Amino acid sequence: MAEFTMELNEDQTQVRDWIHGFAADVIRPAAAEWDEREETPWPVIQEAAKVGIYSLDFYAQQFFDPTGLGIPMAMEELFWGDAGIALSIVGTGLAAIGVLANGTEEQIGTWIPQMYGTPEDVKVAAFCSSEPDAGSDVGAMRTRAVYDQAKDEWVLNGTKTWATNGGIANVHIVVAVVDPELGTKGHASFIVPPGTPGLSQGQKFKKHGIRASHTAEVVLEDVRIPGSCLLGGKEKLDERLARAREKARAGGGERVKNAAMATFEASRPAVGAMAVGTARAAYEVALDYAKTRTQFGRPIIDNQGVAFQLADMRTQIDAARLLVWRASWMAVAGKPFTSAEGSMSKLYASEVAKKVTAQAVQILGGNGFTREYPVERMHRDAAVYTIFEGTSEIQRLVIARTLSGMPIR
């Protein structure tokens, strides 16, 4: 019988410690500055590229870890450093996942390296799915992609919103409607190459948290891209649309996941790991503070009200990590998410991050409410985990529909 273990192996431990060191020595010292500036921390991204953390090779190695723990382990350590800077470092990964999940081998080999650039000239990429009227309801998407057969080009028009790296990216991955009558089954993903006319940045958002990560609208006005920029190719798209039309005529409901849903489903445990990293960081600050802060002649951790909070915080963080690890292992092992385990991990970890960071602020009292201590920033950052890549309400809907056997649209 194969040995069961929940310990990281020697290679994983070395990688974890290496990433943790970078987070402690490079990310944390810069966190407050870039949060205040609300700008992309290009120098930090470049440092990450120089040491090999911001690179296709690094993420490929973690992605293909046979245990499935490479990516969540890396996410937890980077986001332990700082959520805003870490999201700037890993934000390109969502676009890369979109290409990996839906693209051909040629597209993967051509476009993913251009998303990262080089250590001397770093680039970023953006995944553009949400729209002003289509966030959780991807079926309401309006951005259209029309095929110009005479020129073998696709023409894109629409507005995307909440795009990490939107407008400043070298490569944009855009989800658009190709057949409105098919709902979400009529969606496809497209690569918009660097410098393509018609793509521009709209509003840049000033956010409550993760302020070192660039978030903006992306406006598409008669954006023409080669036919080869349709992820997966036109033949595959035509086959998928034909199956969907046939099912629609027959009155059947085929569970076909659209391109955006496939990308989000693959990334949800990783988002859970990000939330675990932020929660763990806040817990550690609160624990150290409780051990050294004295009131009424003794450390405040001696007070049961504080000690029990810390006990609950640590328990919830460990439980969240286990859910993330389970979903990550299931994904790499090819186990189906029969109970929406991916959504479970994201839901629980994101809720834990909000709760734990709020408790950390409370334990630090007045100090926790000031920017002199990092828990104030961590609390602001944690709010995003229950919102992006599927709100907590959507995660509960996905879980409930999966348990009941209802289709997930």
Side-chain angles (χ1 to χ4, degrees):
M1 180 180 293
E3 179 185 359
F4 173 78
T5 179
M6 296 184 68
E7 290 184 336
L8 299 178
N9 61 40
E10 184 177 351
D11 289 343
Q12 291 170 326
T13 300
Q14 289 178 352
V15 171
R16 180 200 62 191
D17 293 347
W18 170 53
I19 300 171
H20 183 83
F22 181 84
D25 297 339
V26 180
I27 294 178
R28 278 206 167 177
E33 175 188 351
W34 291 100
D35 177 73
E36 291 287 346
R37 292 174 64 167
E38 298 191 53
E39 297 174 358
T40 300
W42 291 108
V44 183
I45 298 174
Q46 188 168 36
E47 286 301 312
K50 287 178 180 178
V51 301
I53 289 177
Y54 186 75
S55 71
L56 173 60
D57 288 344
F58 172 75
Y59 288 106
Q61 289 174 11
Q62 304 316 309
F63 185 82
F64 291 110
D65 182 328
T67 69
L69 300 185
I71 290 294
M73 178 185 66
M75 294 302 104
E76 179 177 338
E77 295 305 327
L78 288 171
F79 281 74
W80 172 89
D82 176 69
I85 291 178
L87 191 57
S88 288
I89 293 173
V90 308
T92 293
L94 189 59
I97 290 172
V99 176
L100 284 169
N102 304 294
T104 64
E105 289 186 8
E106 183 179 358
Q107 289 170 334
I108 292 169
T110 300
W111 294 107
I112 293 183
Q114 294 188 49
M115 294 179 176
Y116 289 94
T118 66
E120 295 74 32
D121 184 23
V122 293
K123 304 292 185 183
V124 295
F127 184 78
C128 307
S129 177
S130 294
E131 298 183 3
D133 295 318
S136 297
D137 182 11
V138 294
M141 190 176 294
R142 296 180 180 178
T143 296
R144 289 295 307 276
V146 177
Y147 184 58
D148 184 341
Q149 189 170 0
K151 296 183 178 180
D152 186 26
E153 292 180 339
W154 287 91
V155 184
L156 276 59
N157 281 282
T159 299
K160 295 296 182 178
T161 193
W162 308 121
T164 298
N165 298 329
I168 66 170
N170 195 46
V171 177
H172 291 76
I173 304 300
V174 177
V175 182
V177 179
V178 295
D179 189 333
E181 294 182 0
L182 293 177
T184 59
K185 298 180 181 68
H187 294 180
S189 289
F190 299 86
I191 304 160
V192 181
T196 300
L199 185 148
S200 62
Q201 178 183 309
Q203 176 187 4
K204 178 187 175 183
F205 296 104
K206 296 180 72 67
K207 305 187 299 295
H208 175 65
I210 55 167
R211 302 198 303 193
S213 174
H214 176 97
T215 310
E217 291 181 330
V218 174
V219 180
L220 305 144
E221 298 179 307
D222 292 327
V223 173
R224 286 185 168 269
I225 57 175
S228 60
C229 287
L230 165 64
L231 280 176
K234 194 167 188 304
E235 182 178 348
K236 184 177 178 180
L237 173 65
D238 288 343
E239 292 175 356
R240 177 166 63 82
L241 294 179
R243 290 197 305 271
R245 292 185 188 113
E246 182 62 30
K247 283 286 183 181
R249 283 193 294 269
E254 184 181 14
R255 282 192 173 187
V256 178
K257 295 183 177 66
N258 62 67
M261 291 296 288
T263 300
F264 289 137
E265 188 169 293
S267 64
R268 276 172 180 160
V271 176
M274 298 173 189
V276 171
T278 299
R280 190 184 110 210
Y283 158 76
E284 290 176 1
V285 173
L287 177 62
D288 289 343
Y289 186 88
K291 288 179 177 179
T292 57
R293 171 70 166 171
T294 59
Q295 289 288 279
F296 305 105
R298 60 179 181 173
I300 62 173
I301 198 171
D302 286 352
N303 296 311
Q304 191 178 81
V306 173
F308 278 17
Q309 283 193 72
L310 290 163
D312 287 343
M313 292 159 74
R314 176 59 185 267
T315 301
Q316 291 161 1
I317 290 167
D318 283 10
R321 183 185 297 109
L322 289 174
L323 283 172
V324 168
W325 282 18
R326 180 184 67 169
S328 302
W329 170 80
M330 289 177 68
V332 79
K335 306 288 185 182
F337 287 169
T338 55
S339 300
E341 287 85 354
S343 289
M344 282 185 185
S345 69
K346 197 267 185 185
L347 169 65
Y348 188 73
S350 61
E351 296 287 348
V352 164
K354 282 188 67 174
K355 183 175 181 180
V356 165
T357 54
Q359 288 176 302
V361 171
Q362 187 68 26
I363 289 171
L364 268 68
N367 287 327
F369 199 65
T370 72
R371 295 188 184 181
E372 297 300 314
Y373 287 80
V375 292
E376 178 271 341
R377 184 180 67 252
M378 294 168 183
H379 182 43
R380 287 188 286 107
D381 291 342
V384 78
Y385 297 125
T386 61
I387 299 172
F388 74 169
E389 293 199 45
T391 63
S392 288
E393 291 74 19
I394 289 297
Q395 304 308 321
R396 291 185 174 98
L397 180 64
V398 170
I399 295 165
R401 284 182 173 270
T402 302
L403 295 177
S404 68
M406 297 175 66
I408 301 171
R409 296 184 293 272

